[in-house]
Amino acid sequence: MKLKRVLSFGAAAALAVCLSVPVMAESTPGEQIANVTEKPGATMEEVGTAVAAMTSVYQNSQEAVEIPASVTDQALRYFDMAEEKYAEGYTSVMAKGQGLGVTWRCGTGASVKVTSHTYGTDNGVVTVVAEAVGAESAYGYSLTVQLDPSMNYTEYTVTEENGDVAFESTAKVKAYLSDNGYKKIVTFWVPHFTTYILTPVTGNTGSTESTSASTSAPVTSAPVADDGIVYYTCQACGYHNWTATEEGYRCDNCGYIESQKQLSGYGNVKGVYSPKTGTENPIKATGSDMSHVAIVVVALAVAAACGMGYAAKKSGKAE
């Protein structure tokens, strides 16, 4: 009888371990965001899982929420990673569209309808009125708003009109040179849609003759046509000077990382970086994966429980 009790206790303990491991393997949305923030080499799937978990918290909240800068940074990081895959033909990683000077990015199955976009020429205040269409985006929404290039504001605060969402971070203005001339944009992230207001916090309301770094970009960023050298222009700031790093080619002006294209053949590129290649779609429908260690522990616990049960049964027959 003692043997039976010992074996029964052992089986119960094994089952307890089996049931507790998945719980121990779970992490909170905030912890997931912190983990990918501290991991420069995090995959698109890892970042997306963390962003989706945090987005769900905000979307289901019944109270006003305050969104820290780390969440905004990782959400935009996810969409930037998805943008690269989208450009390569993986259109299932996200949805994208534009209207009224606003380009939006969101999860597949979702869409955005921009009803108005106004820019205050006297105070620089931007108001974007839009609504979500279809399914709600699991990753929230990234919005890029075209600005008046003659304005020299360099940073904006983002607020929600009804006050249900507050953002700790600010959105920085980026300048670039396109086929249609010099452009300025500001990109921000929101968990859901309503009316959002962008208020400038730095800069002056002057012309493009200002000597600020953002307005001087067109002078030095345009590739020189008559020297026979082809330059690769940074999509973030308009410059074309690059240095190879472990993460990719880093723009010497703004720090933007280009990790998908080989730039060694262009002018003003120092060093060589080998872009990562792969054809597997990095987005999966499942949530965060259980670690391999946890799976092994679970398997061993189940095997131990079954073995103990069999031994107890055999011992009973022997008595």
Side-chain angles (χ1 to χ4, degrees):
M1 291 297 291
K2 287 184 178 180
L3 178 60
K4 284 186 177 181
R5 289 174 183 171
V6 171
L7 292 174
S8 297
F9 178 78
L15 287 174
V17 171
C18 175
L19 294 174
S20 66
V21 166
V23 175
M24 293 168 62
E26 292 289 338
S27 57
T28 67
E31 290 172 337
Q32 292 180 46
I33 289 291
N35 290 338
V36 295
T37 298
E38 298 172 359
K39 188 177 180 182
T43 65
M44 178 177 162
E45 182 183 8
E46 291 173 326
V47 178
T49 297
V51 171
M54 208 70 226
T55 300
S56 178
V57 171
Y58 296 141
Q59 291 177 344
N60 295 316
S61 175
Q62 301 300 313
E63 301 177 354
V65 297
E66 187 170 359
I67 300 177
S70 58
V71 174
T72 298
D73 291 344
Q74 295 310 308
L76 292 177
R77 177 187 181 187
Y78 168 75
F79 278 115
D80 288 344
M81 297 170 85
E83 178 79 33
E84 294 180 350
K85 289 296 181 182
Y86 187 91
E88 294 174 4
Y90 293 93
T91 55
S92 62
V93 298
M94 71 173 192
K96 182 179 180 181
Q98 60 182 356
L100 301 180
V102 178
T103 300
W104 49 264
R105 300 177 295 181
C106 59
T108 54
S111 184
V112 175
K113 180 181 178 182
V114 181
T115 56
S116 71
H117 160 216
T118 59
Y119 186 91
T121 56
D122 56 337
N123 57 12
V125 174
V126 178
T127 303
V128 178
V129 182
E131 60 180 311
V133 179
E136 197 161 37
S137 172
Y139 306 99
Y141 305 83
S142 165
L143 281 83
T144 298
V145 181
Q146 292 283 347
L147 302 174
D148 182 347
S150 68
M151 293 295 183
N152 293 331
Y153 299 113
T154 59
E155 199 171 13
Y156 281 83
T157 58
V158 182
T159 55
E160 188 182 24
E161 186 179 48
N162 60 15
D164 287 343
V165 179
F167 300 86
E168 288 184 0
S169 62
T170 56
K172 295 185 180 299
V173 175
K174 291 185 178 181
Y176 68 98
L177 192 65
S178 72
D179 294 337
N180 298 320
Y182 187 45
K183 304 288 185 181
K184 284 185 179 180
I185 57 174
V186 61
T187 300
F188 62 103
W189 176 86
V190 297
H192 59 73
F193 261 110
T194 179
T195 299
Y196 287 94
I197 301 171
L198 284 75
T199 305
V201 292
T202 59
N204 300 310
T205 55
S207 66
T208 54
E209 295 177 355
S210 168
T211 56
S212 66
S214 63
T215 56
S216 61
V219 178
T220 58
S221 65
V224 180
D226 58 359
D227 63 358
I229 301 176
V230 178
Y231 299 99
Y232 185 82
T233 302
C234 176
Q235 61 177 295
C237 70
Y239 281 75
H240 51 73
N241 300 326
W242 303 87
T243 300
T245 68
E246 293 182 357
E247 293 79 22
Y249 289 99
R250 181 185 298 277
C251 174
D252 294 342
N253 181 57
C254 70
Y256 175 82
I257 295 292
E258 175 56 76
S259 60
Q260 299 298 314
K261 295 181 175 63
Q262 180 55 265
L263 306 186
S264 61
Y266 291 92
N268 289 6
V269 177
K270 293 176 288 186
V272 178
Y273 164 79
S274 298
K276 306 292 188 302
T277 59
T279 57
E280 182 181 358
N281 189 334
I283 296 294
K284 296 182 180 179
T286 57
S288 57
D289 295 333
M290 186 185 298
S291 68
H292 294 298
V293 175
I295 294 174
V296 171
V297 172
V298 170
L300 291 175
V302 172
C306 293
M308 291 177 180
Y310 175 78
K313 182 176 181 181
K314 191 170 183 180
S315 175
K317 287 182 178 180
E319 291 182 0

